[in-house]
Amino acid sequence: DAKTTQPTSMDCAEGRAANLPCNHSTISGNEYVYWYRQIHSQGPQYIIHGLKNNETNEMASLIITEDRKSSTLILPHATLRDTAVYYCMGRGGGSNYKLTFGKGTLLTVNP
Amino acid sequence: DTEVTQTPKHLVMGMTNKKSLKCEQHMGHRAMYWYKQKAKKPPELMFVYSYEKLSINESVPSRFSPECPNSSLLNLHLHALQPEDSALYLCASSQFLALSSYNSPLHFGNGTRLTVT
């Protein structure tokens, strides 16, 4: 099983920032943290990934703590179309070959 | 739209049927993946191909048979499935084998929704 933990669900008001946390306490020094999201009835969509430094792209920002045991995905101005399940992905249990999804966070953006 | 195309979008098959799921990408990626996703659950890895060779089989039953004819195509052959195999089957690709330590995001298709009757 994945060694990531996320809240089951979160709500956010439209136009506000959505901050989604993920704990990945077993991540090793050379392993990246990836974030994906899955909108209903679609395949997962890649959002962002990082190793040590904070990252930003056109979709989101990723803040990784200095000890790399946790990270936060930030959607700066959430819209209704951002309602989705957000997955933080790290090393799978016992094998470096696995990219295993955790249970994810259902983010609901409310008008 | 995604850059990974899966066909068909929906498939209904009986337990004695043989069918195939197809996946195609033209991004020049050298690794391709099959995932299975049950309702309200995260995707689960089934198979991984790297440079057209099977690299990972996550102890999947033999009624699922993957095939990678070339670097752009990935098939999943289905035979004698059970109703509990009904799920969304997702294909993904990445530039290189996406071990956690590599800088190689996965790109997913929108899946084939399979119903076994």
Side-chain angles (χ1 to χ4, degrees):
Chain A
D1 292 335
K3 302 291 186 180
T4 60
T5 55
Q6 301 176 253
T8 302
S9 63
M10 296 181 65
D11 286 328
C12 178
E14 188 177 19
R16 304 298 293 268
N19 297 305
L20 295 100
C22 176
N23 289 321
H24 33 79
S25 57
T26 60
I27 199 167
S28 65
N30 63 347
E31 291 173 338
Y32 286 80
V33 177
Y34 289 90
W35 282 83
Y36 294 82
R37 72 181 182 184
Q38 188 171 23
I39 296 169
H40 183 61
S41 298
Q42 297 182 17
Q45 176 190 23
Y46 164 74
I47 302 173
I48 198 167
H49 70 286
L51 183 62
K52 294 181 181 179
N53 300 320
N54 298 337
E55 303 287 344
T56 296
N57 63 21
E58 65 277 6
M59 291 183 67
S61 295
L62 175 61
I63 308 297
I64 302 174
T65 58
E66 191 170 345
D67 62 9
R68 299 199 348 107
K69 292 185 184 302
S70 66
S71 61
T72 300
L73 179 75
I74 300 172
L75 307 179
H77 305 287
T79 71
L80 299 179
R81 288 183 293 181
D82 292 322
T83 293
V85 177
Y86 287 77
Y87 294 106
C88 166
M89 175 181 272
R91 184 183 69 169
S95 170
N96 285 328
Y97 282 85
K98 292 184 182 181
L99 275 181
T100 306
F101 287 89
K103 295 181 180 179
T105 297
L106 173 60
L107 174 69
T108 302
V109 180
N110 300 304
Chain B
D1 290 343
T2 71
E3 295 169 311
V4 177
T5 304
Q6 291 188 245
T7 55
K9 288 184 169 57
H10 301 274
L11 178 63
V12 179
M13 62 183 291
M15 289 188 285
T16 59
N17 292 158
K18 288 184 180 181
K19 296 287 184 183
S20 298
L21 309 184
K22 298 186 182 299
C23 175
E24 189 168 4
Q25 58 87 14
H26 293 290
M27 295 179 281
H29 289 175
R30 302 316 301 264
M32 297 187 77
Y33 310 75
W34 281 115
Y35 281 82
K36 173 182 177 180
Q37 186 174 28
K38 302 284 279 183
K40 300 189 185 299
K41 299 289 187 182
E44 298 177 355
L45 186 65
M46 300 176 71
F47 301 104
V48 182
Y49 276 83
S50 179
Y51 289 88
E52 300 154 50
K53 293 186 178 178
L54 184 63
S55 294
I56 298 170
N57 177 342
E58 290 288 283
S59 302
V60 178
S62 60
R63 58 186 184 269
F64 295 91
S65 175
E67 178 195 21
C68 189
N70 60 56
S71 61
S72 299
L73 294 174
L74 185 66
N75 298 321
L76 186 62
H77 303 298
L78 314 173
H79 174 55
L81 294 193
Q82 304 296 312
E84 59 264 30
D85 296 321
S86 297
L88 180 67
Y89 288 84
L90 294 160
C91 174
S93 69
S94 63
Q95 187 175 13
F96 303 109
L97 184 59
L99 305 181
S100 292
S101 57
Y102 281 84
N103 193 8
S104 191
L106 299 176
H107 296 257
F108 283 85
N110 282 329
T112 293
R113 189 161 299 281
L114 174 68
T115 302
V116 182
T117 61

